[in-house]
Amino acid sequence: NIGEEIPSHHARAVRMCYAAYCILALALLGNMFVATARLFTDGQFASFLMAFIYLVCGVPGAYTLWYKRLYNSCKRDRALGFMWFFLMFLLHIAFVVYASLAPPGFDKQEWSLCGVLNLDKALAKSKILGIFHAVVMSLFMVDAGLSLLSIRWVYISFRGGGHSVADIRSQAYAEGARSAMMSQSV
């Protein structure tokens, strides 16, 4: 519950990242729908398999690797968690930009992502699937734009909370020392 657990100066950033996560989940689900339709119309099994992997790994991976990390970092006001979020969220941004472009893949995987570079082929093959393709491509683009705004808001929230790189470094040293002490006691 963002309103109750997250301090007010972090709430907007967390809400924006939650919206980015929901749009990613919707885009990957729509991508899976288009890839499944392509499987039955064109026999594109490799593209279907990659779309399935994107969905099964992408949605829980995004939740675990960056959204949950941001939520807990804001809730506990931990600078080290913010650093992990920034690293993982930059990978997320790279993925959604790649997905919105969807350059031709290896072998027969050109339909594993719905993007700009294969939209004309999708519309030429089937108008209905082409429209679904365009909708999913738009979701990836909206997610890319929202993710860029989100990382900006999280950075503003991070700095507004009084954190710096020195805080990250000191928390990392403390975690390393605590881990070393735990491993020696076992």
Side-chain angles (χ1 to χ4, degrees):
N1 186 355
I2 295 172
E4 292 178 12
E5 295 183 342
I6 304 298
S8 61
H9 62 281
H10 292 306
R12 183 174 183 172
V14 174
R15 281 191 185 101
M16 288 184 76
C17 286
Y18 181 70
Y21 171 74
C22 290
I23 292 172
L24 173 70
L26 189 60
L28 289 174
L29 188 63
N31 187 60
M32 183 68 195
F33 172 76
V34 171
T36 303
R38 288 279 179 218
L39 173 67
F40 290 119
T41 59
D42 298 340
Q44 298 283 338
F45 183 74
S47 295
F48 168 79
L49 187 62
M50 286 304 296
F52 180 75
I53 290 170
Y54 293 143
L55 178 66
V56 171
C57 295
V59 174
Y63 178 78
T64 304
L65 294 174
W66 57 265
Y67 178 70
K68 184 177 163 185
R69 183 68 62 164
L70 174 67
Y71 189 92
N72 289 333
S73 297
C74 289
K75 183 178 172 181
R76 294 182 180 93
D77 207 28
R78 305 260 310 150
L80 189 59
F82 277 102
M83 191 65 197
W84 180 258
F85 164 79
F86 286 126
L87 292 173
M88 292 297 109
F89 203 65
L90 285 173
L91 291 175
H92 162 74
I93 291 171
F95 173 76
V96 292
V97 167
Y98 178 81
S100 65
L101 292 175
F106 306 104
D107 297 329
K108 299 188 184 265
Q109 297 174 14
E110 75 176 304
W111 299 111
S112 65
L113 290 169
C114 300
V116 173
L117 298 178
N118 56 8
L119 178 62
D120 58 341
K121 288 182 187 177
L123 286 169
K125 283 189 169 215
S126 169
K127 295 293 181 201
I128 294 173
L129 280 179
I131 291 170
F132 280 116
H133 184 103
V135 168
V136 173
M137 175 199 68
S138 299
L139 285 172
F140 280 129
M141 288 181 169
V142 167
D143 192 29
L146 184 61
S147 295
L148 289 171
L149 288 173
S150 296
I151 200 165
R152 180 179 177 267
W153 276 104
V154 171
Y155 182 74
I156 290 169
S157 175
F158 171 74
R159 295 297 287 178
H163 296 293
S164 67
V165 175
D167 293 338
I168 294 170
R169 191 175 301 125
S170 67
Q171 285 182 11
Y173 289 146
E175 287 291 321
R178 186 180 66 80
S179 178
M181 295 293 270
M182 294 297 283
S183 66
Q184 287 179 355
S185 65
V186 173

